[in-house]
Amino acid sequence: DLLGAEQSGHVAALGFELYVEMLNEAVAELSGQRRLAVRPVRVDARVDAYIPASYVASEALKIDLHRRLALVEDDDELRELHAATEDRYGPLPEPVENLFAIQEAKLKLARIGADYLVFRGGRATVGPLVLGSQELRALRGVVDTAVYTAARHEVALRTDDLKGALGLADAIVQARQAA
């Protein structure tokens, strides 16, 4: 009874993504497979990021889409899921686009070794990151207004929207590649 009333309290208490990951680990363990632990990355942004009933009416299909999105492990998989979702349900409304953008940011943050991106009050912060002088110069070349705080191992940027906040992850990836 994975989606029944008995389990709903567990989902609410843990959060959907963590619940799905724990469920996948349990299934892998029971089937004798070993799963590598995925580095948890948190994106905390005060934006609408959900699947509206007007886009996907069925709760089971919404849960499946959330699950598939949470389990995406690389950019190609994410692009394929985006295209498949658009093909099946039509153009993605803004809250669904936000879900995909947040998952893309999580993938990038995991690649650069960051644990979080927080976007609140017109400021995006990514951390913890240790950046060398070459990486800092490269970052300034991409986003000259980014500020690195060595004491807190964070990169911050003033921005007005989610796109700018998620762009900070892109800038850090570019800086790491250029350095």
Side-chain angles (χ1 to χ4, degrees):
D1 189 19
L2 296 177
L3 298 175
E6 235 177 87
Q7 299 301 324
S8 65
H10 298 302
V11 174
L14 293 172
F16 186 76
E17 288 180 21
L18 180 58
Y19 179 77
V20 168
E21 184 58 35
M22 290 173 68
L23 186 61
N24 284 328
E25 286 176 15
V27 169
E29 187 177 313
L30 290 172
S31 65
Q33 299 172 354
R34 185 178 160 117
R35 281 184 52 95
L36 293 173
V38 176
R39 179 185 184 94
V41 176
R42 178 176 57 95
V43 173
D44 182 1
R46 308 262 172 181
V47 297
D48 289 336
Y50 64 96
I51 302 169
S54 60
Y55 188 63
V56 177
S58 164
E59 288 300 315
L61 292 175
K62 281 189 211 179
I63 289 170
D64 182 58
L65 182 54
H66 274 288
R67 180 191 61 79
R68 291 174 61 198
L69 192 56
L71 294 175
V72 164
E73 294 181 352
D74 62 45
D75 293 335
D76 290 337
E77 246 183 279
L78 186 64
R79 276 190 293 276
E80 286 175 18
L81 181 58
H82 188 281
T85 303
E86 196 167 40
D87 186 50
R88 183 170 183 180
Y89 301 108
L92 278 62
E94 185 177 351
V96 179
E97 283 288 359
N98 289 343
L99 277 176
F100 275 88
I102 288 169
Q103 185 63 29
E104 182 180 6
K106 286 181 178 184
L107 294 172
K108 289 175 184 171
L109 294 169
R111 274 198 307 268
I112 61 175
D115 291 341
Y116 59 86
L117 182 148
V118 177
F119 175 54
R120 286 194 194 135
R123 178 184 165 118
T125 306
V126 172
L129 288 172
V130 177
L131 299 178
S133 59
Q134 286 183 328
E135 291 172 319
L136 284 172
R137 276 195 294 280
L139 180 60
R140 287 280 165 91
V142 178
V143 181
D144 64 345
T145 57
V147 176
Y148 178 66
T149 307
R152 294 200 323 239
H153 304 291
E154 290 181 337
V155 178
L157 177 69
R158 289 257 170 233
T159 182
D160 294 330
D161 58 8
L162 179 64
K163 187 174 183 175
L166 299 177
L168 180 56
D170 289 329
I172 295 167
V173 168
Q174 286 178 345
R176 286 251 163 117
Q177 291 171 345

